[in-house]
């Protein structure tokens, strides 16, 4: 199970090191707590962008509008969203 050591979120690439980093605190979830719902399923795109933007604002002090643009630009490059287009 070595490939589970540092699984990254399929939506934003965030490395999920503990159960709490996973959506819903579920270690088997493919998405992080920012991008996923309590059920471990992926949030709608706009919700995931908004949640990631909030994270950037809090962690990096970005302007909310700039954070949203950055989050959207990041998410569209990720496997979870490419598969849906
Ligand atoms: Zn994520």
């Amino acid at each position: 199970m070595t490939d589970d050591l540092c699984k990254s979120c399929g939506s934003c690439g965030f490395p999920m090191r503990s159960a709490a980093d996973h959506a819903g605190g579920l270690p088997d979830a493919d998405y992080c707590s920012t991008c996923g719902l309590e059920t471990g399923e992926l949030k709608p795109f706009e919700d995931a962008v908004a949640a990631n933007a909030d994270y950037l604002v809090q962690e990096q002090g970005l302007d909310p509008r700039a954070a949203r643009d950055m989050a959207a630009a990041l998410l569209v490059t990720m496997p979870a969203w490419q598969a849906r287009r």
Side-chain angles (χ1 to χ4, degrees), residues 2 12-14 18 22 24 26-29 34 39 51-52 55 68 70 72-74:
T2 50
C12 73
F14 181 79
S18 69
H22 292 71
L26 303 167
D28 290 337
T34 303
T39 56
N52 276 276
Y55 179 84
R68 194 209 170 279
M70 190 180 294
L74 169 69

Side-chain angles (χ1 to χ4, degrees), residues 9 12 32 35:
C9 174
C12 73
C32 73
C35 301

Side-chain angles (χ1 to χ4, degrees), residues 40-55:
E41 294 176 334
L42 192 58
K43 290 178 183 177
F45 183 71
E46 285 301 325
D47 290 356
V49 168
N52 276 276
D54 284 349
Y55 179 84

